[in-house]
Amino acid sequence: MSFVAEHTFTSRFRTFSREQWKRLNGQLDHSIKERDLDQLNALGEPLTLAEIEEVYIPLAQMLKVHIDSFQELHVKSNRFFKRNHQKLPFIIGIAGSVAAGKSTTARVLRKVLSLLPGEPKVELVTTDGFLYPNRELIKRNILNRKGFPESYDTKRLLQFLSDIKSGNTQVTVPVYSHLEYDILPQQKLTIQQPDILIIEGINVLQVNTRKNGVFVSDFFDYSIYVDADEKDIVNWYIDRFESLRATAFQNSASYFHKYANLDSEESVEMARKIWNEINKPNLHENILPTRYRADLILKKSAQHFVKKVKVRKI
């Protein structure tokens, strides 16, 4: 991307350093303790109470401004049309590269948003559940492109989002197993009228994942991109692969059990190979170009912690 193009995009955002951002902390009362951190972060992604208090609580307070405005518009719309339509969920999309930390961001955000006044009901859905089953990917000869736009059942994902935004009281979504590396056909996740719904996935801001001219992001009321320098993401991916080799890959039921007996050098080489052949092309072709479509960008340091926040100007 040229400097002119980069400047054109970035000029639409206000940039806050970590120090500036944490001063926006609305002092939200929270019951999050050190012991809760293990349940909120993902493998290889460090998380501290300081990160929650200095980054995510101000983020929750800022999102509350948008949520309150969204709800006020609903009330005024009902009044204008002389109707009493039910309130619809506020949908937040979270995008970013593989290994950038989207899962941790989504889980922490779900937690802090649930602590807002009124204790809204917050649900989290990942787009992994909308991947085609492996048998279908094999049939289409794209198993090695899992995570690319064509590997998702976009029609089903759009139908789910449409059902949510249509006010359906109960909507089911497929469940994906990272252990089996596949959809679990007998399992479903049921979403029942949340106040806030978080949709997390690498593909959610991509403009080429659409059906009939409708984009996934058309259903979002706010969107977040989790960003980091590529060299850092590659290192995180390799570190995560190494950790999984020593843990989850040891399980004979794991799809990746074939990597369990690699030595450290072989493991790093394999992780780098997978990154270069699959994740890097997907990042450059499909994910990174969507960064400036987000309403907010969380830029991480090499230590995984957010160092800068960019917010789209209003």
Side-chain angles (χ1 to χ4, degrees):
M1 184 181 293
S2 70
F3 171 78
V4 174
E6 181 82 8
H7 176 73
T8 299
F9 289 125
T10 57
S11 64
R12 301 170 62 196
F13 290 79
R14 291 187 177 89
T15 301
F16 298 85
S17 67
R18 168 80 171 234
E19 192 65 28
Q20 291 170 324
W21 183 257
K22 77 177 186 180
R23 293 195 199 112
L24 304 176
N25 191 329
Q27 300 302 316
L28 174 68
D29 289 335
H30 70 83
S31 56
I32 304 172
K33 306 296 182 185
E34 290 281 355
R35 62 177 177 271
D36 299 319
L37 299 182
D38 287 343
Q39 297 177 347
L40 292 174
N41 74 333
L43 182 67
E45 295 174 20
L47 180 67
T48 64
L49 284 177
E51 184 80 350
I52 293 174
E53 292 169 351
E54 295 177 7
V55 175
Y56 290 100
I57 288 180
L59 177 54
Q61 294 286 5
M62 189 214 67
L63 286 170
K64 183 178 184 300
V65 173
H66 290 268
I67 295 166
D68 288 348
S69 178
F70 173 80
Q71 294 174 344
E72 183 181 357
L73 179 60
H74 170 76
V75 171
K76 289 182 176 179
S77 178
N78 269 349
R79 188 180 304 141
F80 178 82
F81 290 111
K82 298 179 174 58
R83 295 289 186 269
N84 189 28
H85 295 303
Q86 69 184 65
K87 181 178 64 176
L88 299 176
F90 185 90
I91 301 183
I92 301 169
I94 299 180
S97 171
V98 169
K102 300 181 306 304
S103 297
T104 294
T105 293
R107 282 195 289 269
V108 175
L109 193 56
R110 179 186 187 183
K111 179 67 175 181
V112 294
L113 287 173
S114 71
L115 299 174
L116 287 172
E119 298 184 345
K121 180 181 180 182
V122 187
E123 296 284 10
L124 169 60
V125 170
T126 73
T127 58
D128 290 342
F130 295 93
L131 285 160
Y132 285 114
N134 285 353
R135 66 178 183 279
E136 181 64 24
L137 295 175
I138 292 170
K139 179 180 176 182
R140 298 183 183 210
N141 197 30
I142 56 171
L143 182 62
N144 65 336
R145 289 179 66 83
K146 182 177 280 195
F148 281 73
E150 63 268 28
S151 66
Y152 290 89
D153 188 346
T154 307
K155 182 179 179 181
R156 189 171 189 176
L157 174 56
L158 288 170
Q159 185 60 59
F160 162 71
L161 291 168
S162 179
D163 289 343
I164 289 289
K165 277 299 191 183
S166 296
N168 289 15
T169 58
Q170 187 168 292
V171 186
T172 60
V173 296
V175 174
Y176 183 82
S177 167
H178 287 276
L179 179 69
E180 298 184 26
Y181 195 59
D182 204 355
I183 300 296
L184 301 178
Q186 305 304 319
Q187 296 188 30
K188 302 290 181 186
L189 173 67
T190 300
I191 304 298
Q192 295 179 303
Q193 292 185 294
D195 298 301
I196 303 168
L197 175 64
I198 298 171
I199 304 292
E200 177 255 307
I202 60 175
N203 66 319
V204 295
L205 294 178
Q206 292 168 10
V207 295
N208 52 350
T209 51
R210 68 175 183 175
K211 295 290 182 182
N212 301 320
V214 179
F215 298 103
V216 169
S217 58
D218 289 342
F219 294 90
F220 296 163
D221 299 295
Y222 203 85
S223 56
I224 297 169
Y225 186 96
V226 181
D227 194 21
D229 291 341
E230 185 175 343
K231 61 181 176 59
D232 294 327
I233 299 175
V234 174
N235 289 335
W236 300 341
Y237 180 79
I238 292 172
D239 289 344
R240 186 173 72 180
F241 190 92
E242 272 283 83
S243 296
L244 289 169
R245 178 181 64 85
T247 53
F249 293 176
Q250 297 298 318
N251 187 330
S252 60
S254 171
Y255 178 86
F256 296 101
H257 183 63
K258 55 190 174 184
Y259 300 134
N261 294 323
L262 296 178
D263 62 30
S264 183
E265 186 176 336
E266 291 170 333
S267 178
V268 170
E269 183 179 346
M270 178 57 66
R272 197 175 295 280
K273 181 176 186 290
I274 295 171
W275 175 268
N276 287 330
E277 292 181 358
I278 300 175
N279 296 313
K280 181 176 180 177
N282 199 15
L283 174 63
H284 286 277
E285 294 170 18
N286 302 302
I287 304 167
L288 195 57
T290 71
R291 175 173 49 183
Y292 291 113
R293 298 191 71 238
D295 295 302
L296 181 142
I297 300 170
L298 296 173
K299 183 62 182 283
K300 290 188 167 186
S301 69
Q303 290 72 41
H304 288 273
F305 300 120
V306 173
K307 65 177 181 179
K308 191 182 299 180
V309 180
K310 293 179 182 290
V311 183
R312 185 183 295 276
K313 294 176 182 176
I314 298 178

